[in-house]
Amino acid sequence: MPARESGDENAYFRAGDVSLDGPIPPPPRTSDLRDVLPYLFAVSLSRRGTAWRLCAALTFLVIQKSFGLAVPVLFKVAVDHCTAAAAATGMVATEAAKAAAAALLVSGCLKAISGVATELRTVMFTPVAQASGRRVALEVFNHVLNLDLSFHLERRTGALQRIIDRGTRSVSMVFRAVVFTFLPTAMELALVCGLLWHAFSWHFVVIVLTTFVAYVWWTMHMTGVSAEKRKLANHMDGLSTGKAVDALLNYETVTFFGNVELESQQYDKLLRGYHEAALGSERASSLLNAGQAVILACGMTTILSCAALGLWKVDPAGGLASRVGDLVMANGLLLQLWAPLQFLGFFYRELRQSLVDMEAMFDIMATETKIPDGEIALPAHAGGADLELDNVTFRYGNGRDVLKGVSLKLKPGESVGIVGPSGSGKSTLLRLILRVYDVSSGKISIDGYDVRDLKIDSLRDSVAVVPQDTVLFNDTLDHNIRYGRPTANDDEVAMAATRARLNKTIEQMPKGRETMVGERGVKLSGGEKQRVAIARAFLREPRMLVADEATSALDTATEQGILESLEDVARGRTAVFVAHRLSTVRSCDRIIVMEQGRIVEEGTHAELLDGTSRGTKIGMYAAMWKAQAQEDEKERSSVVKPDDMVMV
Ligand SMILES: Nc1ncnc2c1ncn2[C@@H]1O[C@H](COP(=O)(O)OP(=O)(O)OP(=O)(O)O)[C@@H](O)[C@H]1O
């Protein structure tokens, strides 16, 4: 990545810009070749400069095949002349020998041109196939990133990646199969049949076509069997890869629970399943190849024997001499026809496989997000946003109501803390505000606009989220902070890091902001990761701040520092804090207590403690506060005294 090496971070982010050419049609509904081919051609033609490449590739194809088939015909001419030369004497023999040499010279030239045309065809076509593959990959990538959370929760990342990978690789395979194999073979078959009919009789054409049909039938039949087995093998492969990725991502959980052996056993079982399925597919392939070889051998032998015996020759004049030439020509023509036929089998198998792979990819492309984009762009200006929840009810899928008629109104710049027992619907409420899901009934509006009418990008642009567990990219600290606003300059990034109180950590690091943070940010402590999330929020300059249990995984001392930074970001912005620890929300303008999907108590910290709060369960917060204070006290008294200290 040159931009990275030059240290120009902005260029690095820009380098990832998606530059799409023309629009492409929606993906085909089925993986039928008749649907897939027009789609792929439309994709390839959406790129400027591909149309002429396609035409050039087809022209070279015609040259390759027609010049190639002229070679055995010229060979027959040369052999006929040679036989005549052998039978004659003097000048006649010399002239015949010269004619034979001339025919061989021309045939050599045509062969060379045919070979060059083959390579030029590849040179012309390969960029077209590659560009189409890239374009499709980009489309799927964009589409998947734009799909809603429920889609991602239901899929394993490893398996999803496999589907996209295989699907996009299939694009060039389909092109290669059709443009380089099926089309040329059909052309070659027609030419060979024409030549054989002309030189011999229709009987030869019948034998060639019979062999061809038998070959194609066998290939299609056995490929179907093999594809079924491959489908199963793919499925097993996806499961085993997903399993491996899952175990590796959860490395700490696996080792801390001493479950390495359990994971290995499960992985081994899946791998074994995959290998058995793959073996079945290999066996079907071998049977297919063997059958093809037998059919071709039968066809070839029949035709050559007939040519040798001089059977069904329209013009039997010329006798034995011409029969040698005929045999040479028939042999040459058939070899040329059969050679790609052997690839036809391979490509047909690959084509079937590619279509199977594409089907999974098209399924993903056809998946529509459950969160359709709105039309209105939320105005992006400084200062908080007006947030209102009006009688919001929500359920996941067909489950029970997780939120039951929640109403809440926040003025710009106001902060609210949401507390309540586990499972009461706090995080769900945040997801609805961020429009990760849509409400089942009721309405959420920002600045008076229903969130469903807002452009999702504009909504997300105005919000900064600090989650409980900030997952970082396996890149530099700088990259991870800059993620809050990729267009920020170096000074802005440094300022955000300072305001999030990350500067001391950065100073202690050998490479400063250029230090790599490890996969998912494992080289940073929980508090440091939260500070990165806060630095992102500073950079983002959002109108709303959403913090979901941002401090609950931290110790009390770290929590205090992070809280101060969070309050710093929240200043002047509308802020929603979800917390288990009540100290986190203590200084919020308002605190709401939730229970079983309902707001049951509401007020400031002081009101909630002295019983002047509003709601159906007055005193619930005060009881929770008391319980937490006792717990904290217990924790403090159980701290190991210096005398008891042990080395861990
Ligand atoms: N993706 C999901 N699909 C189905 N049910 C879900 C999903 N996410 C959460 N739930 C259910 O919705 C209910 C509310 O969950 P939510 O995460 O909002 O609670 P919470 O108050 O934030 O809990 P906690 O404090 O433990 O994080 C729970 O019963 C949970 O099991």
Side-chain angles (χ1 to χ4, degrees), residues 424-625:
S424 55
K426 304 180 295 290
S427 303
T428 305
L429 200 65
L430 292 192
R431 290 192 191 131
L432 296 183
I433 295 173
L434 291 168
R435 224 183 147 216
V436 175
Y437 296 100
D438 271 339
V439 295
S440 304
S441 71
K443 188 170 121 180
I444 296 181
S445 45
I446 295 177
D447 285 356
Y449 301 109
D450 188 325
V451 285
R452 286 169 292 197
D453 297 333
L454 290 175
K455 281 186 193 290
I456 294 176
D457 279 353
S458 74
L459 169 66
R460 306 249 162 99
D461 277 351
S462 12
V463 186
V465 183
V466 181
Q468 174 177 4
D469 184 18
T470 302
V471 178
L472 302 183
F473 293 101
N474 186 5
D475 206 297
T476 61
L477 200 51
D478 188 284
H479 173 90
N480 275 292
I481 297 174
R482 203 182 286 272
Y483 211 76
R485 179 156 53 94
T487 51
N489 64 32
D490 272 356
D491 289 344
E492 288 169 326
V493 175
M495 177 61 81
T498 308
R499 293 185 71 183
R501 302 179 202 180
L502 252 181
N503 46 335
K504 288 228 174 68
T505 314
I506 291 171
E507 278 162 23
Q508 284 160 9
M509 290 181 162
K511 287 188 179 170
R513 277 207 328 258
E514 289 306 313
T515 308
M516 297 293 287
V517 300
E519 197 157 337
R520 296 165 74 86
V522 285
K523 292 186 189 166
L524 298 186
S525 70
E528 285 161 351
K529 280 196 274 187
Q530 289 313 72
R531 293 203 176 281
V532 173
I534 293 171
R536 281 179 185 168
F538 271 118
L539 259 193
R540 208 163 172 74
E541 296 176 344
R543 298 183 56 202
M544 279 198 295
L545 175 74
V546 167
D548 190 3
E549 310 272 14
T551 57
S552 54
L554 308 175
D555 60 74
T556 323
T558 318
E559 179 196 9
Q560 202 46 44
I562 298 283
L563 257 185
E564 284 165 22
S565 298
L566 273 175
E567 280 163 14
D568 215 7
V569 195
R571 203 156 295 129
R573 303 188 160 109
T574 309
V576 185
F577 291 90
V578 161
H580 259 128
R581 242 183 252 166
L582 304 186
S583 50
T584 310
V585 296
R586 185 183 176 156
S587 52
C588 286
D589 299 328
R590 195 158 20 130
I591 297 168
I592 62 170
V593 184
M594 291 190 66
E595 192 186 42
Q596 294 185 2
R598 287 200 173 85
I599 297 179
V600 291
E601 198 183 7
E602 186 173 356
T604 61
H605 178 71
E607 287 169 350
L608 289 159
L609 283 191
D610 67 16
T612 52
S613 56
R614 300 162 296 283
T616 54
K617 280 220 167 168
I618 297 190
M620 186 165 165
Y621 181 88
M624 285 160 64
W625 180 261

Side-chain angles (χ1 to χ4, degrees), residues 173-400:
M173 178 46 79
V174 170
F175 268 129
R176 289 226 323 258
V178 173
V179 178
F180 289 163
T181 310
F182 300 142
L183 200 65
T185 305
M187 210 167 97
E188 203 151 37
L189 181 68
L191 285 173
V192 168
C193 285
L195 285 170
L196 287 178
W197 196 330
H198 177 75
F200 302 96
S201 70
W202 59 267
H203 302 86
F204 281 76
V205 175
V206 170
I207 300 171
V208 168
L209 288 180
T210 310
T211 311
F212 190 83
V213 169
Y215 185 94
V216 170
W217 174 81
W218 177 251
T219 305
M220 286 171 74
H221 171 68
M222 284 310 292
T223 306
V225 176
S226 171
E228 277 305 313
K229 299 199 184 278
R230 264 298 282 279
K231 209 170 176 174
L232 180 67
N234 274 354
H235 176 66
M236 297 303 296
D237 189 25
L239 285 184
S240 60
T241 311
K243 175 80 204 161
V245 171
D246 210 15
L248 292 173
L249 285 178
N250 288 307
Y251 163 78
E252 289 187 341
T253 318
V254 173
T255 48
F256 292 167
F257 282 89
N259 280 341
V260 173
E261 204 176 319
L262 177 74
E263 291 292 331
S264 300
Q265 278 169 0
Q266 289 175 349
Y267 184 52
D268 185 42
K269 202 169 151 198
L270 289 170
L271 272 186
R272 222 175 309 139
Y274 166 65
H275 285 146
E276 274 164 22
L279 261 180
S281 159
E282 282 301 315
R283 274 195 287 268
S285 291
S286 298
L287 197 59
L288 166 63
N289 291 338
Q292 286 173 335
V294 171
I295 293 170
L296 285 192
C298 290
M300 186 98 176
T301 312
T302 313
I303 292 177
L304 291 183
S305 307
C306 291
L309 291 171
L311 290 180
W312 302 313
K313 182 125 164 79
V314 179
D315 170 23
L320 196 61
S322 135
R323 213 177 290 169
V324 178
D326 288 347
L327 195 60
V328 168
M329 182 178 75
N331 187 47
L333 287 177
L334 290 178
L335 281 180
Q336 290 226 23
L337 180 64
W338 293 162
L341 257 196
Q342 292 176 16
F343 292 112
L344 181 78
F346 166 78
F347 275 108
Y348 182 72
R349 281 198 302 273
E350 289 297 316
L351 179 72
R352 280 288 301 254
Q353 182 52 40
S354 298
L355 291 175
V356 168
D357 289 344
M358 273 187 181
E359 191 177 325
M361 184 179 71
F362 289 146
D363 275 350
I364 291 177
M365 286 171 98
T367 309
E368 284 183 18
T369 178
K370 291 184 187 130
I371 310 292
D373 208 2
E375 297 278 314
I376 305 167
L378 186 67
H381 55 73
D386 194 270
L387 174 69
E388 184 174 355
L389 281 79
D390 181 16
N391 202 16
V392 168
T393 302
F394 178 76
R395 70 191 77 89
Y396 288 100
N398 297 324
R400 66 193 162 83

